[in-house]
Amino acid sequence: QVRLVESGGGLVQAGGSLRLSCAASGSIGSLNTMGWYRQPPGKQRELVAHITSGGGTYYADSSVKGRFTISRDNAKNTVYLQMNSLKPEDTAVYYCYLFQEKNNYWGRGTQVTVSS
């Protein structure tokens, strides 16, 4: 079993920054992908970015490129999302996930609210 716990969400003004963390515990293998989805109010969940255990990164939305940076610490089984220059449209619940051996695991989510 794998457990994911997010932290770091909150309320911030437009132009501000937040850093999300997600710590994984349990049966974590050496090969996996960790990442972040977000679900804005009234919308579907969407991929933000992911990072492989080898450090390869992918950003799904051009609107976050240059503002968000995903990283991970394999020794701590933790993935981070540094979010800079936040905009009101970044307001969402952010979910961490881990994909390994054909299974997806999810955190419970952390709320990010950006005020204008």
Side-chain angles (χ1 to χ4, degrees):
Q1 190 68 12
V2 174
R3 182 171 181 240
L4 302 173
V5 179
E6 302 105 332
S7 61
L11 173 64
V12 64
Q13 289 188 333
S17 298
L18 284 174
R19 188 192 195 206
L20 306 182
S21 300
C22 172
S25 60
S27 301
I28 310 298
S30 59
L31 296 177
N32 57 64
T33 296
M34 297 185 75
W36 296 90
Y37 273 72
R38 67 183 179 183
Q39 187 165 16
K43 297 184 179 181
Q44 290 186 330
R45 195 176 296 192
E46 60 188 19
L47 176 65
V48 177
H50 69 220
I51 183 167
T52 67
S53 48
T57 60
Y58 171 75
Y59 296 89
D61 190 338
S62 59
S63 72
V64 306
K65 288 182 180 179
R67 299 191 298 123
F68 291 9
T69 303
I70 191 169
S71 62
R72 65 186 289 166
D73 183 334
N74 288 337
K76 297 181 179 179
N77 290 322
T78 299
V79 63
Y80 306 96
L81 187 67
Q82 177 67 44
M83 305 186 293
N84 299 328
S85 303
L86 282 161
K87 304 176 181 179
E89 50 264 43
D90 294 318
T91 295
V93 178
Y94 284 70
Y95 295 91
C96 170
Y97 79 96
L98 183 148
F99 177 77
Q100 69 175 15
E101 299 177 354
K102 301 181 180 179
N103 293 311
N104 251 340
Y105 302 93
W106 294 93
R108 291 189 173 185
T110 185
Q111 177 70 46
V112 171
T113 302
V114 185
S115 63
S116 57

